[in-house]
Amino acid sequence: METSILDFCKIKFRSLLRPLVVNKTILYSGVADWFVFSLFVLPSYFGIRLVFFDLTAIRFFEILLLIGILKKDQRKKDFISLLRRCSNNMYVFLYMFVVTYTNLIHPSVNTIFYWITNVVLVIYLVSYLVVYEYGIEKFLAKIRKCVWIIVCLSPLELIIGKSPFSLLDTLNKSVTASRFGSTRITGNCTTPNGYAMFLMILLPLFCYDWKKNKINLGKNKILISIIALNIILTGSRLTMGTLVLGLVLCFFLQPRTQLKKSLMFCAIALPVLGAIIYLLRDISFFQSILRTFFSAVDEILNTNYSVKFGADAHMLYNSSHYRELLWENTILGDWLNPWLGRGGNYRFGMYIDGYRIFSVDNFYVGQYITYAWPGVITWLLMSLSFFRDMLVCFIRKNILGFVMMVSFICYYISLWYLDQLQTYMCMAALFGIIYGTRYKERYKVNSTR
């Protein structure tokens, strides 16, 4: 008798749960694995809606992981020691202080929970797992497995018409988007731009050979190629630009031997790829790729090549122009209190020169509206404190610091044009990785697993 798809899924689900529960006892190691899986694979719209906040998958496994850590004396001692010795604490707590008092004055308990669970706890729990549970190599290997799942499932959206991850939508938050008549895949995120940013945060990690501590684009070339394809399929012209920037930065930091191999490969592959796309340029799929690419070129060079491939020149102009109006009428305007923000529940909307602006596609401006100058300054200080750790790591000949700097630079460029779109949790994970790496180096800690 043939096994149905539903039965097959049930069997696979049980196999995933097997390392979590043994003899009706929840295993700490299984919880740690599921925490990583929920962090990098499960969408933010998978969870249970409660009164004050949504109990998402990542929050559920954070609670279980914290219980597992605090339940055992040695783990609790190690975790507290890791917290106490973190040089970034002052900046993290300063930002959380601003978030807390702003969202108490303008009540938004859910926003406070969001930053505590999706950023602060992620930083410290990831650093703990890197130091005491997995070690950096095993942790990065787990991230790679998670990304393989995401990038192989997400393109199915082009066939079935919706994200495969939308089957997990229990909070009614998932979104399907299109531009110029083309489907833009959303992956495990709520928007195509968010998915592109999410992948771009992680991509530089796979340009790094963590066993040999060097940049090597050939090490995970298939995965890098599939990630790049997924980014292209999101239709995000911004992330197309950061994709090129990130790959170029990593490309030229390869050892000389590997760099020569990569240059030879590009000398052959790029002309062939260009010829294929040119010959098939009238097919809608390749037109969408060219449209995304030239939209990014147009944004940089102020040209209109993308119009030849179906882009709406007026729409693209409006998309760029309204950001200028947004900046001039918020941070440079006088209607906002520069010392007290409007809080997480504030819904922005205004008419400027005939434009109806209802979204803040600039995270920095969004932070100013929500938390005013204290929020912007403390958020930047918090972020730069971790960037400093990445730089120190790189200066001390650990190439992991460099690839994380690339992720940081590409992501923070993106935030000038987009909101964080539920992706800051992934960046917080990188902050946890760099702190865990620095902690292991400083205190010579050996992983226990």
Side-chain angles (χ1 to χ4, degrees):
M1 183 176 178
E2 294 185 2
T3 304
S4 67
I5 295 177
L6 182 60
D7 291 336
F8 176 77
C9 291
K10 288 179 179 178
I11 293 170
K12 285 295 182 183
F13 186 69
R14 290 193 195 103
S15 67
L16 284 171
L17 287 178
R18 197 169 293 129
L20 180 61
V21 181
V22 175
N23 295 328
K24 299 182 180 180
T25 301
I26 297 177
L27 295 181
Y28 165 76
S29 59
V31 170
D33 291 344
W34 269 88
F35 168 78
V36 175
F37 184 79
S38 64
L39 178 58
F40 293 105
V41 177
L42 295 179
S44 61
Y45 46 74
F46 178 52
I48 302 170
R49 195 175 298 282
L50 301 178
V51 177
F52 293 110
F53 71 105
D54 299 329
L55 182 61
T56 58
I58 181 64
R59 291 171 179 173
F60 175 71
F61 286 107
E62 276 179 342
I63 294 169
L64 290 184
L65 188 56
L66 276 172
I67 292 172
I69 291 172
L70 300 177
K71 188 177 179 181
K72 190 174 180 180
D73 289 340
Q74 185 58 49
R75 288 183 193 140
K76 180 168 65 174
K77 181 180 177 182
D78 292 337
F79 187 62
I80 292 173
S81 175
L82 182 141
L83 289 180
R84 288 177 55 251
R85 290 171 168 174
C86 183
S87 61
N88 313 89
N89 281 343
M90 179 178 69
Y91 307 106
V92 174
F93 293 152
L94 275 175
Y95 180 69
M96 282 308 304
F97 175 70
V98 176
V99 169
T100 302
Y101 77 68
T102 303
N103 288 294
L104 289 177
I105 295 172
H106 301 288
S108 178
V109 177
N110 193 34
T111 304
I112 298 174
F113 272 116
Y114 173 83
W115 284 101
I116 291 174
T117 58
N118 289 35
V119 177
V120 178
L121 281 179
V122 167
I123 292 172
Y124 294 127
L125 288 175
V126 166
S127 61
Y128 178 84
L129 293 180
V130 168
V131 176
Y132 293 105
E133 179 68 12
Y134 299 120
I136 187 61
E137 291 186 14
K138 186 175 287 188
F139 192 80
L140 292 177
K142 286 184 177 295
I143 296 177
R144 181 172 57 189
K145 291 178 182 178
C146 290
V147 173
W148 266 111
I149 294 171
I150 298 166
V151 298
C152 288
L153 285 178
S154 297
L156 291 176
E157 186 171 348
L158 298 175
I159 300 173
I160 64 178
K162 62 179 181 179
S163 171
F165 295 95
S166 65
L167 297 173
L168 299 173
D169 184 12
T170 58
L171 297 175
N172 298 317
K173 289 185 178 180
S174 62
V175 177
T176 301
S178 64
R179 174 184 283 177
F180 309 128
S182 299
T183 299
R184 305 171 66 198
I185 66 173
T186 58
N188 58 340
C189 299
T190 57
T191 64
N193 285 329
Y195 180 49
M197 291 168 70
F198 173 81
L199 291 179
M200 198 56 229
I201 292 171
L202 298 175
L203 176 64
L205 294 179
F206 307 116
C207 299
Y208 171 59
D209 185 342
W210 49 79
K211 291 185 178 179
K212 297 181 179 179
N213 189 36
K214 64 180 182 180
I215 302 289
N216 183 354
L217 271 66
K219 177 71 176 179
N220 295 296
K221 56 181 178 293
I222 297 177
L223 180 57
I224 291 173
S225 300
I226 298 176
I227 292 174
L229 175 62
N230 273 252
I231 289 175
I232 292 169
L233 294 178
T234 64
S236 173
R237 51 184 173 148
L238 165 67
T239 316
M240 178 76 80
T242 56
L243 170 65
V244 174
L245 173 63
L247 290 177
V248 168
L249 289 174
C250 291
F251 186 90
F252 287 105
L253 204 74
Q254 295 180 103
R256 184 173 298 178
T257 303
Q258 186 59 41
L259 179 60
K260 289 180 179 179
K261 292 180 181 178
S262 297
L263 286 171
M264 291 178 62
F265 174 79
C266 290
I268 298 171
L270 291 179
V272 171
L273 180 62
I276 292 172
I277 293 177
Y278 178 79
L279 293 172
L280 301 176
R281 64 189 182 281
D282 294 329
I283 297 175
S284 60
F285 174 76
F286 289 96
Q287 277 195 336
S288 66
I289 293 176
L290 291 169
R291 186 162 53 238
T292 301
F293 175 76
F294 283 109
S295 292
V297 173
D298 292 344
E299 183 71 20
I300 297 171
L301 302 180
N302 195 28
T303 53
N304 60 353
Y305 296 118
S306 60
V307 175
K308 297 179 181 180
F309 302 99
D312 186 328
H314 184 65
M315 183 185 296
L316 292 175
Y317 171 78
N318 288 344
S319 178
S320 299
H321 181 55
Y322 100 89
R323 288 190 177 88
E324 299 175 13
L325 298 176
L326 180 69
W327 178 269
E328 293 171 1
N329 290 273
T330 51
I331 291 181
L332 299 181
D334 57 4
W335 62 280
L336 289 167
N337 185 335
W339 304 111
L340 179 63
R342 296 298 183 94
N345 276 341
Y346 179 70
R347 294 294 173 262
F348 176 80
M350 63 191 307
Y351 284 91
I352 309 172
D353 295 346
Y355 289 86
R356 181 174 180 267
I357 300 178
F358 55 89
S359 64
V360 185
D361 286 345
N362 183 316
F363 182 71
Y364 305 94
V365 173
Q367 285 287 285
Y368 180 77
I369 294 171
T370 308
Y371 302 115
W373 281 122
V376 174
I377 293 170
T378 54
W379 175 76
L380 285 173
L381 287 173
M382 179 184 71
S383 300
L384 291 173
S385 72
F386 287 101
F387 183 78
R388 174 202 61 199
D389 291 343
M390 297 172 189
L391 180 60
V392 170
C393 192
F394 176 49
I395 290 173
R396 295 185 176 179
K397 309 299 183 183
N398 189 337
I399 303 301
L400 176 64
F402 175 80
V403 294
M404 298 187 83
M405 287 170 60
V406 173
S407 293
F408 185 100
I409 291 168
C410 291
Y411 184 66
Y412 280 72
I413 289 174
S414 299
L415 293 181
W416 183 259
Y417 299 93
L418 297 168
D419 199 352
Q420 57 104 0
L421 304 175
Q422 305 291 318
T423 60
Y424 205 77
M425 181 170 61
C426 187
M427 196 70 226
L430 262 65
F431 291 164
I433 291 172
I434 194 63
Y435 174 53
T437 302
R438 295 278 293 119
Y439 189 90
K440 282 175 68 72
E441 290 175 349
R442 189 176 302 168
Y443 300 106
K444 309 299 181 185
V445 179
N446 292 320
S447 302
T448 58
R449 187 177 171 186

